[in-house]
Amino acid sequence: MENNSRPKTEICHGHDYHVCKPFKAESCQWTDLYSCTTKKREDYLEWPEYFMAVAFLSAQRSKDPNSQVGACIVNQENKIVGIGYNGMPNGCDDDQLPWARSAADRLDTKYPYGIKAVVYLSDKYHDTPEMTASRRLLNMACVQFQQFKPKRTKITIDFNSINLPTALDNSTK
């Protein structure tokens, strides 16, 4: 090195992929001419900012001319488990569906076109525009739908049963 000056680029010892550049003094603290100590960035995105940015970016996929909504679903470990946006379901040609907010016929608006059910118990609203729209959407997406035929007429959930002794409790005594 000439005149005992710092090298323009030097690979840090112990950091196989890190390259120190003297002009980035805020990220690299020089200890001698041939090595450096790296400090973490302090201007990184916090989790809420990161997740909101992902949701905002996802919203840009929406073709809805009136509103673009994105979602980022996160678990307790700050891992993204799902992202989405307001749009038509997979398999539906969005050029064949309406985007209007209002119309004389509700089926000519975007609102009733959401998946209501795949397996349903009651079909008492069969002839309503929303149910007609649901069946139309499911058929477009080649999704099967059927009415549920229960084997029982009643199911009882007893939350107190968790406190009752079990066969396992009796076998360990």
Side-chain angles (χ1 to χ4, degrees):
M1 308 274 157
E2 295 179 33
N3 302 331
N4 238 359
S5 64
R6 293 181 179 153
K8 291 186 178 174
T9 302
E10 180 66 47
I11 298 175
C12 293
H13 301 288
H15 300 285
D16 294 339
Y17 301 104
H18 181 73
V19 177
C20 294
K21 298 178 183 173
F23 59 85
K24 289 192 93 176
E26 71 277 0
S27 67
C28 199
Q29 180 180 11
W30 288 91
T31 55
D32 59 38
L33 291 177
Y34 303 104
S35 65
C36 70
T37 325
T38 304
K39 292 183 177 181
K40 72 176 185 179
R41 284 180 44 226
E42 294 187 15
D43 62 341
Y44 60 89
L45 290 176
E46 293 184 12
W47 288 118
E49 296 168 319
Y50 172 67
F51 299 136
M52 188 57 70
V54 169
F56 186 82
L57 183 63
S58 297
Q60 303 309 304
R61 287 280 309 142
S62 175
K63 296 178 184 176
D64 189 322
N66 299 302
S67 60
Q68 295 76 46
V69 179
C72 178
I73 303 168
V74 180
N75 68 13
Q76 290 85 0
E77 298 170 344
N78 286 328
K79 304 285 188 223
I80 296 174
V81 295
I83 57 173
Y85 57 92
N86 60 320
M88 299 300 175
N90 290 341
C92 293
D93 182 352
D94 53 30
D95 291 327
Q96 295 180 14
L97 295 166
W99 291 101
R101 295 183 106 170
S102 61
D105 183 350
R106 185 160 165 79
L107 290 176
D108 291 332
T109 70
K110 64 181 179 176
Y111 296 112
Y113 291 92
I115 297 176
K116 304 294 183 191
V118 174
V119 177
Y120 56 92
L121 180 61
S122 171
D123 200 18
K124 65 183 177 180
Y125 299 110
H126 180 84
D127 295 323
T128 64
E130 286 80 9
M131 293 304 114
T132 301
S134 293
R135 288 190 302 277
R136 188 182 294 175
L137 209 82
L138 291 169
N139 282 325
M140 287 174 66
C142 299
V143 174
Q144 298 291 316
F145 54 95
Q146 63 183 13
Q147 189 167 11
F148 177 66
K149 305 288 185 197
K151 294 180 181 175
R152 309 169 187 228
T153 58
K154 185 178 184 181
I155 297 175
T156 303
I157 299 173
D158 182 0
F159 288 112
N160 290 322
S161 67
I162 196 163
N163 297 319
L164 299 176
T166 66
L168 181 61
D169 291 338
N170 293 332
S171 69
T172 58
K173 290 183 181 178

